[in-house]
Amino acid sequence: MTVQAWLNGEPIVDPEHALALTNRGLHYGDGVFETMHLFDGQIRFLDAHVERATEGCARLGMALSTARLLQELTCLPLQTQPSIVKLVLVRSGAGRGYRPAPNSEAMRLVLLYPWTEASPTVRAQWCAARWSRNSQLAGLKHLNRLEQVLAQQELRDGVDEGLMLDTEGEVVSATSGNVFLVRQGKLCTPDLRLCGVNGVMRRQVLGAAKATGLSVEECALWPADFEHAEEAFITNALRGIRPIVQLDEQRWPIGPMAQQLRRTLTL
């Protein structure tokens, strides 16, 4: 896989050997990241990604120049084919120990990957690995993704995604996206008050649903809610809206609400 990379706006000649041994992201997962879709020279939902990255840095106490970041992301090489942009914001500083230096800034690592295709629909399973509840980190796309690593190791052959609960049994998300279901004509998604990632595509879907007059609820959901759902789908910024057509032994057709939202967001 050919990867192009930049650190603080400067090209990295050898991406495989560019990481400092003292990097706080490596030692402590001290940072946040965004995964974005670059198409026809533009990053889809760029402002929303930068807004969330800025919010994440602020919550972790890292300074970030939004203007500089926007300039770097809008000056990426033009691609004739879709590409994947990964932005990693890691706290600067090389000292050992958890406590960061005061007034620390975020180092900006940008990686450009070739596009990979994925099925437009999802076959899913429930995962045993669970999200830990922590309201201080709820919503953040921070660098510690070990719970998702464990969950994806569980996926059976022929399964595209896993759905995850938290430690008390509430539904939180898919391993690589947010999850929605339709119940009695209402669009529902986990409220993420205690854990989970507040995805960029999740925000777009909620905004589009409300703008078109759909009934929307962010609430506590449980596995039993999926047994009575009329449809379900997963969202993320790379793949958009992907209907769940199978969850273990349960099956759904591609539902009208997912199709309507896809048309509204031109996905």
Side-chain angles (χ1 to χ4, degrees):
M1 177 184 294
T2 303
V3 179
Q4 296 175 264
W6 296 262
L7 181 62
N8 294 333
E10 297 297 324
I12 296 174
V13 177
D14 186 3
E16 297 297 325
H17 302 91
L19 185 65
L21 297 179
T22 54
N23 184 280
R24 288 185 62 90
L26 172 66
H27 285 266
Y28 311 120
D30 190 1
V32 296
F33 72 102
E34 298 286 327
T35 308
M36 300 171 279
H37 182 188
L38 177 65
F39 181 72
D40 198 21
Q42 293 186 327
I43 294 175
R44 190 167 174 80
F45 307 125
L46 174 59
D47 290 342
H49 281 290
V50 171
E51 178 184 351
R52 186 176 64 169
T54 304
E55 174 189 323
C57 286
R59 287 178 60 184
L60 292 179
M62 292 189 292
L64 175 67
S65 171
T66 301
R68 190 178 301 164
L69 176 61
L70 271 169
Q71 180 183 16
E72 292 166 2
L73 291 175
T74 53
C75 291
L76 292 173
L78 290 177
Q79 305 292 310
T80 57
Q81 299 296 324
S83 302
I84 297 170
V85 179
K86 184 165 185 178
L87 168 67
V88 184
L89 299 167
V90 179
R91 192 189 306 272
S92 60
R96 203 189 75 79
Y98 294 133
R99 187 172 183 176
N103 305 315
S104 53
E105 296 186 0
M107 297 188 298
R108 306 174 307 281
L109 175 62
V110 178
L111 300 129
L112 186 61
Y113 292 91
W115 183 257
T116 56
E117 294 296 334
S119 170
T121 59
V122 173
R123 294 161 298 176
Q125 69 176 66
W126 292 108
C127 292
R130 297 196 174 195
W131 281 89
S132 300
R133 288 187 168 192
N134 184 342
S135 59
Q136 286 184 292
L137 297 177
L140 281 180
K141 196 166 186 178
H142 54 75
L143 292 179
N144 191 330
R145 298 291 111 196
L146 288 178
E147 292 156 335
Q148 287 67 49
V149 170
L150 291 174
Q152 287 222 350
Q153 287 179 326
E154 299 177 33
L155 300 186
R156 301 184 295 269
D157 289 343
V159 170
D160 307 298
E161 253 291 3
L163 299 191
M164 298 180 65
L165 313 177
D166 68 14
T167 46
E168 302 303 313
E170 281 190 41
V171 179
V172 180
S173 69
T175 65
S176 300
N178 294 106
V179 64
F180 289 79
L181 60 80
V182 178
R183 182 176 56 187
Q184 297 179 338
K186 177 183 289 187
L187 183 64
C188 303
T189 192
D191 54 29
L192 309 182
R193 70 194 185 282
L194 296 170
C195 55
V197 173
N198 188 3
V200 163
M201 186 55 64
R202 176 184 186 270
R203 299 183 187 192
Q204 300 298 319
V205 166
L206 288 173
K210 292 171 183 176
T212 54
L214 295 175
S215 179
V216 179
E217 184 177 10
E218 297 177 66
C219 58
L221 293 175
W222 305 85
D225 291 310
F226 282 78
E227 297 174 12
H228 306 290
E230 295 140 36
E231 60 179 288
F233 57 87
I234 291 170
T235 65
N236 72 27
L238 290 183
R239 309 302 176 189
I241 296 171
R242 301 172 72 200
I244 300 175
V245 294
Q246 181 176 347
L247 175 57
D248 289 328
E249 302 306 316
Q250 188 171 3
R251 286 172 170 77
W252 289 279
I254 298 174
M257 195 171 292
Q259 294 183 77
Q260 177 182 344
L261 288 165
R262 284 178 61 87
R263 289 192 296 270
T264 300
L265 292 167
T266 62
L267 299 174

